[in-house]
Amino acid sequence: MSEYKISHVAVYCASSRDIDEHYFTAADALGEQMANNKWTLVYGGGSTGLMGQVARSLQKHGGKTLGITPEVLKIDALINTRDDEQIITHDMPTRKNKMIEVADAFIALPGGFGTLEELFEVMTLKQLGFHNKPIVIANFHGYYDQLLDFFEEIYRQKFSKTIYRQLYYIASDAKTIVEYLNHYVPPDLDKHWFV
């Protein structure tokens, strides 16, 4: 076991109800694995899509959830009223900052633009040295294949150094995610990124 301790895990993911069922199955498995490890889910506090699925699965298996929701999205049809703890923020930037502050690790499940924006933010903050927490890209059913191909193009054309592959870890299932987080060792990244 590494010295890095995890108790709260931020999960970024889709709120859409209209995605393929196999993504819900994968999210359900992640919730169970997180509960088994006694990790608290830190998420957007929504009840729909993969967001709601992870939370329900985690609670079903005895885990706890912390929903952090901006005031504008505090809508009965969207918010998960069964969270163990809820934090309502003034706006979206405050919500994102609070999630980053509270979480010991970040997982990006399949999602849309919001998920990508949150993923890129924590990757960039890690690159700049503001944190050294684990980031997992959950490439369930190859969802992120094309994005990961584009990352390789970024490296190939030298818009980023290849050492920054260490910013994130790519996993295809819940078990692999948990195994990585349980053995995470913060990387020694190049501090001269700007040279």
Side-chain angles (χ1 to χ4, degrees):
M1 292 290 288
S2 73
E3 291 296 315
Y4 192 87
K5 301 296 182 188
I6 292 175
S7 65
H8 289 70
V9 178
V11 176
Y12 304 131
C13 57
S15 59
S16 172
R17 297 182 176 94
D18 299 328
I19 56 180
D20 285 344
E21 186 62 32
H22 57 64
Y23 293 119
F24 288 96
T25 302
D28 192 75
L30 178 63
E32 180 177 1
Q33 291 277 349
M34 287 179 62
N36 290 344
N37 280 269
K38 299 184 172 18
W39 295 337
T40 297
L41 169 66
V42 180
Y43 76 123
S47 62
T48 63
L50 301 187
M51 204 180 281
Q53 188 69 31
V54 173
R56 284 188 296 274
S57 173
L58 201 124
Q59 289 189 319
K60 180 174 72 175
H61 293 96
K64 293 188 176 182
T65 62
L66 166 56
I68 304 178
T69 308
E71 188 71 43
V72 70
L73 294 179
K74 190 184 174 188
I75 302 166
D76 288 344
L78 297 178
I79 198 166
N80 186 352
T81 57
R82 297 182 59 224
D83 282 327
D84 296 284
E85 184 182 353
Q86 282 185 338
I87 297 174
I88 305 300
T89 65
H90 174 67
D91 55 23
M92 188 67 89
T94 308
R95 175 240 213 162
K96 291 193 303 170
N97 289 337
K98 189 65 178 176
M99 289 180 71
I100 292 169
E101 173 193 330
V102 170
D104 304 305
F106 308 97
I107 303 171
L109 297 188
F113 297 127
T115 301
L116 291 175
E117 192 246 352
E118 290 169 314
L119 169 63
F120 290 154
E121 181 169 12
V122 293
M123 283 174 55
T124 302
L125 290 173
K126 187 172 181 177
Q127 178 181 341
L128 298 177
F130 288 103
H131 74 82
N132 210 358
K133 302 174 183 180
I135 300 169
V136 178
I137 298 174
N139 192 27
F140 295 160
H141 301 279
Y143 178 76
Y144 284 116
D145 281 353
Q146 291 180 324
L147 177 64
L148 296 171
D149 285 346
F150 182 65
F151 285 4
E152 292 306 308
E153 186 66 11
I154 290 172
Y155 300 132
R156 189 185 71 79
Q157 295 203 40
K158 302 191 188 320
F159 283 96
S160 182
K161 296 183 177 183
T162 56
I163 194 171
Y164 292 124
R165 289 194 185 99
Q166 295 181 76
L167 290 171
Y168 52 87
Y169 178 76
I170 304 161
S172 58
D173 57 62
K175 185 176 178 183
T176 307
I177 291 171
V178 169
E179 186 173 322
Y180 171 72
L181 294 181
N182 275 327
H183 296 90
Y184 177 69
V185 176
D188 184 16
L189 294 172
D190 184 357
K191 297 295 189 288
H192 301 290
W193 59 271
F194 49 82
V195 175

